[in-house]
Amino acid sequence: MRFSRRHPLFVAVVLCASVLVVARPAVADSDGGGAPGPPGGTGISAQVARLFEEAAVATQRYEAGRRAADTQKTKAKRLEKLLTRERKQIAVLNADLGRIARAQYREGGGVPYTAQMLLAEDPEELMRGQRAVWQADLVVNNAVTKHRRAEARLAEDEAEAATAWQALEEWRTELAGIKQSIHEKLEEAQWTLQGQADAAVAAGTCRGAVRLVQPDGGLTGAWVAPAEKYELSAGYGSGGQRWAGRHTGQDFAVPIGTPVRAVGEGRVVKVSCGGAFGIEIVVEHADGYYTQYAHLAAVTVDQGERVAAGQWIGQAGTTGNSTGPHLHFEVRVTPELGSGVDPVPWLRQHGVEL
């Protein structure tokens, strides 16, 4: 009976776990502030932006861990089948050993050699009997050796599987803890940022542009959506108790502090911090249209500044006449309220599908 070789199915995930846990993201510490500063400054706006990035990385690693665990479950099932087969083989060996021992006893394997000499009728009969004993002994010894090797291999495989599963669970737990810690710090920083924004709106004075490290390039078009990740909520022309008439823009549901992007190249013609729109920015584009970004928690540009498509110009919030964190986005034919057009088809005409 031949046994399968050992299967080190869990080695890869243990090595992967070690690499990812060591490469954990560093969590920024809160240092308050919020006054204008150099790019990548240490104010609360910059902290929120960093925590968003770290949360995204932690989520990616956690999801990678979840996928690795799913893969390991499949491998573990395959290993368990191999271990079950080995256990069955050991049971067969045990039965073989018992059968060989009983047969050897019945055939005289237990009779002392001196007694066999006295009872044998001739030397040839004695030699035949002795050869049978030797052969039986050889079979028994081989069977015992096989049995012991099989039991040792089974014990090693089971120990390896148990160790790997423990390492995997510890890794997943650690990743979940890192992710939770970042999200808790992010939530605290978000509401600190929103509190500063509310104070600025109440005072009617903007805190000034916060200079954040801009995202890497890689945009494929001259126009982009005003946020990278979002859910569409209230649309253009929809009714609601909070509006005097119809809704004048398209709302993007995003968390507080989410970077808001200029949808296209242009010039900032307005930055204000009061009224129904809370903190808002208006950008003029070369084709004569204007885009408005409202209910912000912070701005990262100054009035008169030129901006590029995809550039971070602010951070979303819930200032002004707002029931929750979101970006209110409008497309206008003038800088002022009341000249808006439906943003969704306008963006589509510029190659942006929401």
Side-chain angles (χ1 to χ4, degrees), residues 140-214:
V140 171
N141 289 335
N142 288 341
V144 170
T145 300
K146 270 185 167 183
H147 182 273
R148 289 175 178 172
R149 288 177 180 174
E151 284 189 327
R153 184 164 52 247
L154 176 61
E156 289 177 7
D157 285 344
E158 289 178 332
E160 182 180 358
T163 300
W165 269 115
Q166 182 178 357
L168 178 62
E169 287 304 313
E170 290 175 355
W171 174 47
R172 292 178 63 194
T173 300
E174 188 167 1
L175 284 177
I178 293 171
K179 179 183 175 184
Q180 181 63 26
S181 175
I182 292 174
H183 279 286
E184 288 175 357
K185 289 193 175 187
L186 175 59
E187 184 177 9
E188 180 180 356
Q190 284 173 314
W191 288 109
T192 299
L193 176 63
Q194 182 61 42
Q196 293 180 352
D198 290 337
V201 170
T205 57
C206 294
R207 294 190 299 121
V210 177
R211 300 302 178 180
L212 301 178
V213 176
Q214 291 293 322

Side-chain angles (χ1 to χ4, degrees), residues 10 13-14 68-77 79-80 157-172:
F10 288 85
V13 72
V14 174
D70 291 341
T71 301
Q72 285 311 113
K73 287 178 182 177
T74 301
K75 291 181 177 180
K77 290 179 180 178
L79 177 60
E80 184 58 33
D157 285 344
E158 289 178 332
E160 182 180 358
T163 300
W165 269 115
Q166 182 178 357
L168 178 62
E169 287 304 313
E170 290 175 355
W171 174 47
R172 292 178 63 194

Side-chain angles (χ1 to χ4, degrees), residues 283-301:
V283 176
E284 179 185 15
H285 301 283
D287 59 0
Y289 284 93
Y290 298 80
T291 52
Q292 181 217 27
Y293 313 79
H295 303 311
L296 303 177
V299 296
T300 63
V301 290

Side-chain angles (χ1 to χ4, degrees), residues 268-308:
V268 178
V269 296
K270 182 180 182 181
V271 176
S272 65
C273 301
F277 287 119
I279 299 176
E280 63 170 322
I281 298 171
V282 177
V283 176
E284 179 185 15
H285 301 283
D287 59 0
Y289 284 93
Y290 298 80
T291 52
Q292 181 217 27
Y293 313 79
H295 303 311
L296 303 177
V299 296
T300 63
V301 290
D302 290 315
Q303 191 165 311
E305 186 175 335
R306 294 205 62 82
V307 295

Side-chain angles (χ1 to χ4, degrees), residues 197-278:
D198 290 337
V201 170
T205 57
C206 294
R207 294 190 299 121
V210 177
R211 300 302 178 180
L212 301 178
V213 176
Q214 291 293 322
D216 295 333
L219 296 177
T220 58
W223 299 87
V224 298
E228 184 176 0
K229 296 180 180 180
Y230 55 84
E231 289 186 9
L232 296 178
S233 49
Y236 178 81
S238 59
Q241 296 180 350
R242 300 186 66 84
W243 308 307
R246 293 289 179 177
H247 194 227
T248 55
Q250 174 64 55
D251 286 349
F252 294 76
V254 291
I256 295 171
T258 298
V260 171
R261 309 187 296 190
V263 296
E265 183 182 356
R267 183 175 65 90
V268 178
V269 296
K270 182 180 182 181
V271 176
S272 65
C273 301
F277 287 119

